[in-house]
Amino acid sequence: MTTALDRYFHISERGSSIGTEIRAGVVTFFAMAYIILLNPLILGTGADSAGTTLGVSRVAAVTAFTAGILTIAFGLIAKYPFGIAAGLGLNTLIAATAVAGEGLTWEQAMGLVVIEGIIIVLLAISGFRTLVFEAIPQSMKAAMSVGIGAFIAIIGFVGGGFVTRVPDAAGTTVPVSLGIGGSIATWPTVVFIVGLLLCGVLVVRNVPGGLFIGIVTATVLALIIEAVLHLGPASADNPGGWGMAIPAAPDGFGTIPDLSLIGNVDPFGAFVQIGAVSASLLVFTLLLANFFDAMGTMTGLGTQAGLTDETGVLPDMKKALIVEGIGAVVGGAASASSNTVYADSAAGIGDGARTGLANVTTGLLFIAAMFFTPLYEIVPLEAASPVLVIVGAMMMSGVRQIDWSNFHNALPAFLTIMVMPFTYSIANGIGVGFITFTLMYFVAGRAKDIHWIMWVVSALFVVFFAADPIMAAVG
């Protein structure tokens, strides 16, 4: 059995072990588990034009269900350790633009996600998505990987309370701040700092499972602090509280998940409600964001895990892209929003994950989380976030692959790296980088070195960034 498992997932071939894969899969789960709490807050609380609300508990159930099923499927079929769950930027686009902005019902909005997913799958089956991967210059692939590292790190800093957003009402030119009002002297942030330093020490000392040990230790510290001080959730009146999950010992298990949202979709209602042009633009926006968010994430994770070839492309990429594309279809059909590969999977890769067995572990924990709600509420975001910062630091090594001596290479790479964390979007960073790359190479007299796909994709990103005024113009 062990030998068959090893052969199927190529565990020894990739320099890993069954124990390492299982442990790292647990690390990935706790790095991603916040989506079970956050996705319901984005999708489950707002009413649509018909007055319908999806409901927090129902969205939480389908979020965990789709993440579990798709993560396991990706592990079994693509055999890579890349977790899949509801995409954060994509769910916000659905809630804020499609439902709140365009007045669609939740069923109509999720129908657009299904259509977008079908197109993604067809593009993957045709080989076009793989062709795009291969057309991207090596310097831009390196920049994408480094940018994702920076993006992961900022997620960790914000999740740990080390960096906070300054409200616009403050009237300051500084968009973010150190801690709360310049102070990091809150107990949840102390947990983050202790976890960060401990993970750093364990990595330096090459301790096997160092990141897993760091999460467990930080969680135990958080449990003790909450038991003694009763900090509660963070709010305007309690800025020193926990950012999301409140660390506490489980008080019960056996929750029956409500999966009644599965199948509540209307694929064509949006075209009737807001017109074919506006609905098509929404599908295009979802498509481009999902297409390149997944592409950039796979590139970064594959590079970090040492699984890409000399051109920066994952072997058997087509199979992985098809499964990832199905994530959008399944996510939309379940009203969980488009599911995609998660950059947070870098946490498990940093702890040794190299095969799909880690994904199977992560997926099983997502499935278990539907029934055992406290499973993902025990570990606060502040205890899991240090791992993301550590992994972000690991991914910075890719800057050595970028030719900084020529500005037509340096500027696109720099913008790709910087825009990802500052806009909280992998797709935005790729889009800005691609457009700049094409323009810089053209003015440098090197138009012949620009692959025709880069011209096409750059033009599509121009439309992507202008989507709002275009939609306003067409009514």
Side-chain angles (χ1 to χ4, degrees), residues 292-329:
F292 286 98
D293 188 84
M295 184 185 74
T297 302
M298 285 193 192
T299 299
L301 295 177
T303 301
Q304 182 202 358
L307 299 175
T308 54
D309 60 22
E310 62 278 0
T311 64
V313 176
L314 282 166
D316 209 8
M317 172 67 76
K318 184 176 180 178
K319 188 185 298 182
L321 292 173
I322 292 173
V323 179
E324 190 279 332
I326 291 173
V329 180

Side-chain angles (χ1 to χ4, degrees), residues 51-367:
T52 302
T53 302
L54 295 181
V56 170
S57 61
R58 293 199 299 172
V59 174
V62 294
T63 298
F65 175 74
T66 55
I69 295 298
L70 290 166
T71 297
I72 291 172
F74 194 89
L76 292 174
I77 299 171
K79 301 177 184 176
Y80 289 121
F82 307 163
I84 293 181
L88 274 178
L90 299 170
N91 59 8
T92 303
L93 182 62
I94 288 296
T97 302
V99 175
E102 295 296 322
L104 298 179
T105 65
W106 286 111
E107 290 86 354
Q108 292 168 344
M110 292 302 171
L112 293 181
V113 175
V114 171
I115 292 174
E116 170 258 327
I118 292 173
I119 296 173
I120 284 279
V121 172
L122 293 176
L123 290 174
I125 292 174
S126 70
F128 180 74
R129 290 188 82 183
T130 305
L131 192 64
V132 172
F133 266 88
E134 295 171 347
I136 301 171
Q138 183 59 37
S139 64
M140 291 302 294
K141 288 175 182 172
M144 286 157 55
S145 178
V146 175
I148 290 169
F151 177 56
I152 291 170
I154 194 66
I155 290 174
F157 280 127
V158 172
F162 196 82
V163 172
T164 55
R165 179 176 178 272
V166 177
D168 296 336
T172 175
T173 57
V174 181
V176 292
S177 170
L178 178 70
I180 300 173
S183 172
I184 53 175
T186 63
W187 283 110
T189 306
V190 167
V191 170
F192 167 78
I193 294 171
V194 170
L196 178 64
L197 294 176
L198 176 59
C199 285
V201 169
L202 294 173
V203 170
V204 168
R205 298 296 299 175
N206 294 315
V207 176
L211 299 185
F212 177 78
I213 295 171
I215 289 179
V216 171
T217 304
T219 299
V220 171
L221 176 60
L223 288 167
I224 294 172
I225 290 173
E226 177 60 23
V228 174
L229 301 177
H230 305 290
L231 300 177
S235 64
D237 298 327
N238 183 33
W242 304 98
M244 197 166 292
I246 302 171
D251 57 2
F253 294 100
T255 304
I256 303 300
D258 182 351
L259 299 175
S260 59
L261 288 176
I262 295 177
N264 288 357
V265 292
D266 180 0
F268 306 109
F271 292 86
V272 176
Q273 179 79 9
I274 61 176
V277 175
S278 294
S280 297
L281 280 171
L282 280 173
V283 171
F284 170 77
T285 303
L286 285 166
L287 176 69
L288 211 62
N290 192 2
F291 189 107
F292 286 98
D293 188 84
M295 184 185 74
T297 302
M298 285 193 192
T299 299
L301 295 177
T303 301
Q304 182 202 358
L307 299 175
T308 54
D309 60 22
E310 62 278 0
T311 64
V313 176
L314 282 166
D316 209 8
M317 172 67 76
K318 184 176 180 178
K319 188 185 298 182
L321 292 173
I322 292 173
V323 179
E324 190 279 332
I326 291 173
V329 180
V330 173
S335 294
S337 183
S338 181
N339 276 231
T340 187
V341 171
Y342 251 57
D344 306 73
S345 307
I349 292 173
D351 206 47
R354 294 295 180 271
T355 78
L357 181 58
N359 253 36
V360 173
T361 302
T362 302
L364 289 174
L365 288 173
F366 268 116
I367 296 297

